[in-house]
């Protein structure tokens, strides 16, 4: 195995020639489309994907195709041929403004977690030999359509080797919604007519580019679909079609106990059916776009000289939910989709998060309507595409991906070990703490860092040939198999210089609850509009009417506020919810103290403005801090204020569930300072110090 890994160190130019190699390539990457979300594998009776099926009839369908469980890591791997463990982008953070080019292991974590998280890079190193640059340098016309999620300028497709980028958007999904108006700022991308679907428009733009290309040059079309990522929405007529198709099958879901269960924390379930007409309609539009591209290739007469690859960036989303309307008119709550028979979904290291649909059409090479059980991974697309197009590999560059051209020719391919890296604590059904897995042969081993006894690792071993649903952990009964596979993991970590999680020096066994691992806190993640409507309902039934005086000078943005008993309850209604106060007046350095309760652990942020500053600075005057989830916490956050503090913003750590605040305090760090400002959200309530004195 050491020989296998050492071969990855230096991959020199290996020229290959195939007289039958097509000169063009179309790469279609679906967003969040699960392995069971198409008709390719016979796992859905609700969704309809005739165009993906039509594509499969022209080429080879892969039953064991894999990706990272999150979008940005997969996208980065496709363009670099490297595993996220090596290039460092292990989280969907590339839309953030902050630029970080190296992964960093957090030194400590919340006391209920045994290991620390690894902070992902937010940008790829610009000097890497991106696939798009290699093809452009080889004479290809290049264009990117749709989602990017690998960074803003100077890290957009236009800087990474693409001649064209539409709509030129860096966000994690469509900017506002799937149906126009969308609000993109690109002057070269015309706003859609009201109701126009963004996927229809992207396919239209791609087809127009195809028809107006320079026919004397080969082309690379990188069509990365927005579908089927949030925000969830679709054409009304398609939603109605699938609502009628579901019929009475969802009648039981309107029961109050089922609704409440899905909106509350509960052990994750398996085997759930697909029950969302909205998501079914979204899949329908995704498939329509695939059909538009196939038709355009046929109309141009270039289908026989164009490779087409269809892939998804991660498994299906089972942690988000929607309130749907049944054909009977009753309302019900459902998860977006189901990955049954696979366990888990997007964001998780189990099969439901990493196994994806995949089709490759290589005219003259792949046998029409053929299938392959060869295991492939998204990182493999890089070397395989270079091989298919007869483009030289970059010299002295580590490629983790495996060229699977032999499998496309119908030959056997003995793949070496395949690694998946998820170095953060999750919050989706079946989530695991920071982990790395290896697939090798029939076996899959998951190492969870430092979650065993005495800071040792914890292991889960599955035989996927017998247990595709990962229901039987064989680690205890097969210790030799665990050791063999764990050695492969350790070799790869060493060779790739992987930044790994550390034992958490602040771990407190009294605060650790193993029963919460795998449980999604707060139930399904619902859209902001639903949360806002629920907040209004809760306010009317359980909370006091809110007046300005009760807020004590604070205001809420992208959130609603209610008062329940002695507490202020803040419910997010949009992105980046926060509360703010512009009457603070303290001289730095200061500290902010609070008593707070959130559903899930996360990172809050405090931003400040000082006297003389007309607006908040984009960098420098902001402090992140950890908030353990579940129980009440009293936290102290020192902030390095220089000058006279006048304005505070507190960005919530949980953008999906309510945050409760008992009191806030801000003032100089000196312990006995008399100038500290307090906000106790019960009128006339004694301060924390006063309560302590009375006890």
């Amino acid at each position: 195995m050491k020989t296998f890994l050492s071969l990855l160190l230096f991959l020199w130019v290996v020229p290959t020639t195939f007289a039958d190699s097509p000169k063009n390539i179309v790469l279609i990457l679906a967003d969040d489309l699960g392995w069971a979300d198409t008709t390719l594998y016979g796992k859905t009776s609700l969704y309809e994907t005739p165009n993906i099926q039509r594509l499969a009839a022209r080429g080879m369908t892969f039953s064991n195709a894999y990706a990272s469980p999150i979008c940005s890591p997969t996208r980065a791997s496709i363009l670099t041929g490297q595993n996220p463990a090596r290039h460092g982008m292990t989280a969907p953070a590339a839309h953030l403004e902050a630029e970080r080019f190296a992964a960093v292991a957090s030194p400590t974590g919340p006391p209920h977690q045994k290991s620390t998280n690894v902070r992902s890079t937010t940008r790829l190193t610009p000097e890497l030999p991106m696939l798009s640059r290699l093809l452009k340098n080889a004479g290809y016309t290049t264009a990117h359509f749709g989602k990017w999620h690998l960074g803003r300028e100077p890290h957009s497709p236009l800087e990474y080797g693409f001649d064209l980028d539409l709509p030129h958007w860096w966000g994690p999904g469509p900017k506002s919604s799937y149906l126009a108006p969308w609000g993109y700022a690109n002057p070269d991308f015309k706003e859609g007519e009201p109701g126009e679907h963004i996927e229809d428009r992207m396919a239209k733009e791609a087809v127009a580019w195809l028809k107006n290309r320079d026919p004397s040059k080969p082309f690379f079309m990188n069509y990365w679909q927005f579908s089927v990522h949030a925000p969830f929405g679709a054409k009304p007529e398609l939603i109605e079609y699938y609502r009628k198709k579901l019929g009475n099958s969802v009648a039981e879901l309107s029961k109050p106990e089922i609704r409440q269960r899905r909106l509350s924390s509960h052990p994750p379930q398996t085997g759930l059916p697909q029950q969302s007409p909205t998501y079914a309609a979204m899949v329908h539009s995704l498939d329509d776009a695939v059909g538009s591209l196939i038709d355009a290739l046929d109309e141009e007469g270039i289908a026989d000289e164009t490779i087409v690859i269809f892939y998804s960036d991660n498994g299906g989303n089972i942690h988000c939910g929607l309130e749907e309307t049944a054909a009977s008119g009753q309302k019900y709550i459902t998860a977006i989709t189901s990955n049954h028979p696979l366990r888990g979904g997007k964001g998780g290291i189990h099969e439901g998060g990493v196994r994806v649909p995949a089709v490759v059409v290589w005219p003259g090479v792949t046998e029409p309507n053929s299938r392959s059980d060869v295991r492939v991974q998204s990182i493999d697309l890089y070397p395989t595409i270079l091989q298919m197009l007869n483009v030289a590999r970059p010299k002295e560059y580590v490629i983790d991906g495996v060229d699977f051209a032999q499998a496309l020719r119908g030959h056997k391919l003995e793949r070496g070990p395949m690694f998946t890296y998820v170095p953060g604590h999750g919050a989706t059904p079946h989530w695991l703490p920071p982990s790395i897995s290896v697939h090798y042969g029939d076996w899959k081993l998951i190492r969870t860092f430092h979650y065993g006894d005495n800071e040792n690792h914890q292991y889960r071993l599955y035989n996927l040939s017998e247990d595709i649903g990962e229901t039987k952990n064989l680690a205890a009964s097969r210790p030799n198999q665990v050791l063999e596979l764990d050695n492969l993991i350790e070799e790869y970590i060493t060779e790739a210089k992987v930044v790994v999680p550390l034992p958490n020096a602040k771990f407190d066994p009294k605060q650790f609850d193993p029963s919460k691992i795998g449980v999604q806190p707060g139930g399904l993640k619902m859209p902001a509009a639903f949360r806002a409507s629920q907040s209004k309902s809760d306010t009317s039934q359980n909370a006091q009417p809110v007046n300005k005086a009760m807020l004590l000078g604070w205001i809420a943005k992208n959130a609603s506020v209610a008062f329940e008993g002695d507490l202020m309850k803040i419910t997010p209604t949009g992105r980046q919810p926060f509360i703010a106060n512009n009457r603070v007046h303290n001289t730095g350095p200061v500290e902010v103290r609070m008593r707070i309760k959130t559903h899930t652990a996360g990172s809050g942020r405090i931003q400040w403005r000082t006297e003389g500053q007309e607006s908040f600075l984009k960098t420098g005057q902001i402090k992140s801090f950890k908030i353990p989830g579940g129980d009440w916490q009293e936290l102290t956050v020192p902030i390095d204020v220089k000058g006279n503090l006048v304005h505070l913003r507190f960005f919530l750590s949980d953008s999906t569930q309510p945050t409760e605040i008992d009191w806030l305090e801000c003032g100089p760090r000196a312990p006995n300072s008399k100038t500290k400002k307090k906000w106790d959200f019960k009128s006339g309530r004694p301060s924390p110090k006063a309560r302590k004195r009375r006890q």
Side-chain angles (χ1 to χ4, degrees):
M1 187 49 56
K2 289 183 179 179
T3 301
F4 169 81
L5 292 174
S6 65
L7 288 176
L8 293 174
L9 293 176
F10 295 103
L11 291 174
W12 297 83
V13 175
V14 182
T16 56
T17 56
F18 294 106
D20 53 1
S21 293
K23 63 178 182 178
N24 308 312
I25 185 162
V26 175
L27 173 56
I28 307 171
L29 185 67
D31 193 2
D32 290 359
L33 189 72
W35 184 72
D37 285 350
T38 74
T39 53
L40 292 173
Y41 309 107
K43 304 301 179 184
T44 181
S45 58
L46 176 61
Y47 310 147
E48 299 178 10
T49 55
N51 291 301
I52 296 174
Q53 204 70 48
R54 182 157 64 110
L55 187 68
R58 301 184 179 199
M60 180 175 286
T61 299
F62 284 84
S63 301
N64 290 299
Y66 288 83
S68 292
I70 291 291
C71 51
S72 294
T74 293
R75 294 161 192 272
S77 292
I78 289 173
L79 290 185
T80 65
Q82 293 187 342
N83 194 293
R86 188 185 299 275
H87 61 61
M89 189 173 285
T90 56
H95 59 287
L96 302 178
E97 286 191 53
E99 293 187 356
R100 186 166 53 250
F101 295 96
V104 180
S106 299
T108 60
H112 65 284
Q113 296 177 352
K114 287 190 172 186
S115 69
T116 68
N117 294 324
V118 173
R119 297 181 68 196
S120 169
T121 65
T122 63
R123 303 290 188 272
L124 289 170
T125 303
E127 294 76 25
L128 290 175
M130 310 293 179
L131 177 64
S132 42
R133 286 180 181 151
L134 294 178
L135 296 186
K136 183 172 183 176
N137 291 339
Y140 279 71
T141 298
T142 57
H144 175 83
F145 298 94
K147 175 172 172 173
W148 178 241
H149 208 191
L150 290 176
R152 317 176 186 201
E153 291 91 347
H155 303 278
S156 79
L158 298 179
E159 289 85 33
Y160 277 31
F162 290 101
D163 302 318
L164 177 69
D165 173 33
L166 291 176
H168 196 60
W169 172 240
W170 41 263
K175 184 176 182 183
S176 56
S177 67
Y178 279 90
L179 303 181
W182 307 302
Y184 295 104
N186 183 1
D188 297 324
F189 186 74
K190 184 181 177 182
E191 180 61 84
E193 294 296 324
E196 183 181 3
H197 196 287
I198 188 63
E199 210 62 72
D200 290 348
R201 176 61 172 279
M202 296 318 303
K204 182 179 179 181
E205 296 283 356
V207 168
W209 176 82
L210 185 72
K211 292 181 177 294
N212 291 288
R213 75 193 189 286
D214 180 352
S216 67
K217 299 178 66 176
F219 67 81
F220 170 34
M221 178 193 291
N222 202 44
Y223 187 100
W224 287 4
Q225 297 180 289
F226 284 116
S227 303
V228 282
H229 194 282
F232 304 105
K235 298 175 182 177
E237 64 272 21
L238 288 178
I239 296 176
E240 183 62 26
Y241 170 79
Y242 286 102
R243 180 180 292 132
K244 291 178 179 178
K245 187 174 182 179
L246 281 164
N248 294 326
S249 66
V250 296
E252 293 291 308
L253 301 183
S254 60
K255 292 182 177 179
E257 60 269 23
I258 296 178
R259 180 185 180 91
Q260 185 57 39
R261 175 180 175 81
R262 294 187 171 184
L263 293 175
S264 306
S265 298
H266 61 272
Q269 297 173 282
T270 57
L272 295 174
Q274 296 162 336
Q275 298 169 319
S276 170
T278 300
Y279 186 80
M282 294 174 72
V283 173
H284 192 117
S285 291
L286 176 152
D287 184 76
D288 282 347
V290 174
S292 295
L293 298 184
I294 296 173
D295 291 343
L297 294 174
D298 290 344
E299 292 167 6
E300 289 293 292
I302 55 174
D304 289 340
E305 54 190 64
T306 304
I307 295 167
V308 180
I309 299 174
F310 178 84
Y311 218 89
S312 182
D313 64 350
N314 50 250
N317 182 330
I318 64 171
H319 64 276
C320 288
L322 285 176
E323 183 177 52
E324 298 280 16
T325 304
S328 64
Q330 293 180 305
K331 302 283 188 180
Y332 66 96
I333 302 294
T334 180
I336 292 300
T337 191
S338 169
N339 296 317
H340 181 71
L342 306 181
R343 181 179 183 180
K346 174 183 178 178
I349 204 166
H350 286 297
E351 292 293 287
V354 295
R355 191 180 290 218
V356 296
V359 176
V360 179
V361 179
W362 187 0
V365 179
T366 51
E367 181 180 346
N369 209 29
S370 59
R371 302 183 78 87
S372 174
D373 60 2
V374 169
R375 182 179 294 121
V376 298
Q377 196 175 19
S378 55
I379 59 174
D380 300 340
L381 296 178
Y382 183 100
T384 306
I385 288 172
L386 295 180
Q387 169 83 332
M388 290 191 289
L389 298 179
N390 193 25
V391 175
R393 295 184 178 193
K395 293 183 178 181
E396 300 185 18
Y397 175 66
V398 181
I399 299 176
D400 290 308
V402 175
D403 172 11
F404 62 89
Q406 286 295 96
L408 294 171
R409 291 180 169 275
H411 303 313
K412 289 185 178 181
L413 177 65
E414 296 297 329
R415 189 202 170 89
M418 184 187 82
F419 303 97
T420 303
Y421 190 41
V422 188
H425 288 79
T428 59
H430 302 280
W431 70 269
L432 290 178
S435 299
I436 187 171
S437 72
V438 59
H439 288 73
Y440 193 44
D442 293 335
W443 296 98
K444 176 180 180 179
L445 178 73
I446 303 174
R447 174 206 278 190
T448 301
F449 292 92
H450 310 301
Y451 265 75
D453 295 332
N454 301 316
E455 297 185 353
N456 290 315
H457 304 314
Q458 187 181 63
Y459 296 96
R460 292 168 175 82
L461 177 69
Y462 305 104
N463 185 331
L464 295 180
S465 66
E466 301 174 355
D467 182 22
I468 193 174
E470 298 172 286
T471 62
K472 299 175 182 177
N473 181 5
L474 304 176
S477 61
R478 301 293 295 264
N480 291 336
Q481 192 70 50
V482 171
L483 181 61
E484 177 185 343
L485 295 173
D486 195 46
N487 284 339
L488 297 179
I489 289 175
E490 194 60 37
E491 282 188 35
Y492 183 71
I493 287 174
T494 301
E495 183 275 318
K497 298 180 176 61
V498 180
V499 178
V500 296
L502 305 172
N504 182 15
K506 293 186 177 180
F507 173 64
D508 180 0
K510 294 180 181 179
Q511 298 192 44
F512 175 59
D513 184 357
S515 68
K516 292 185 177 181
I517 294 177
V519 176
Q520 180 177 2
L524 292 172
K525 180 181 178 181
M526 301 296 290
F530 176 85
R531 298 196 303 269
S533 68
Q534 293 299 107
S535 176
K536 291 178 182 178
S537 175
D538 291 345
T539 299
S540 63
Q541 296 178 20
N542 306 316
Q544 308 169 41
V546 177
N547 59 56
K548 187 175 181 180
M550 295 173 68
L551 293 172
L552 304 180
W554 292 86
I555 62 170
K557 293 292 185 180
N558 300 325
S560 62
V561 175
F563 285 85
E564 297 183 2
D566 299 341
L567 310 170
M568 180 169 70
K569 185 176 182 180
I570 308 166
T571 301
T573 58
R575 293 184 177 180
Q576 296 193 0
F578 67 89
I579 58 174
N581 192 317
N582 64 357
R583 299 178 181 179
V584 181
H585 300 298
N586 258 302
T587 301
V590 304
E591 64 182 19
V592 177
R593 297 181 64 241
M594 66 190 74
R595 186 169 185 264
I596 187 171
K597 181 180 179 182
T598 61
H599 284 263
T600 61
S603 294
R605 290 176 295 146
I606 291 177
Q607 188 179 28
W608 64 92
R609 181 173 63 83
T610 58
E611 194 170 17
Q613 294 177 334
E614 295 185 359
S615 60
F616 286 90
L617 301 182
K618 292 184 177 180
T619 59
Q621 293 183 186
I622 191 165
K623 177 68 176 287
S624 296
F625 62 100
K626 298 291 185 182
I627 305 178
D631 299 319
W632 282 101
Q633 305 288 334
E634 290 196 18
L635 304 176
T636 300
V637 184
I639 57 176
D640 190 19
V641 174
K642 293 179 175 62
N644 185 27
L645 172 68
V646 295
H647 199 167
L648 274 183
R649 284 178 175 173
F650 171 28
F651 290 87
L652 306 185
S653 63
D654 191 335
S655 61
T656 62
Q657 300 291 333
T659 293
E660 295 174 289
I661 298 178
D662 185 357
W663 48 262
L664 289 164
E665 180 182 89
C666 178
R669 296 182 192 176
N672 298 317
S673 173
K674 296 181 180 180
T675 61
K676 289 188 176 182
K677 177 74 174 178
K678 298 175 184 276
W679 301 272
D680 195 327
F681 296 105
K682 179 184 178 183
S683 178
R685 184 174 187 157
S687 71
K689 290 182 179 179
R691 288 201 297 268
K692 187 175 182 180
R693 286 194 299 268
R694 292 194 315 195
Q695 293 175 351

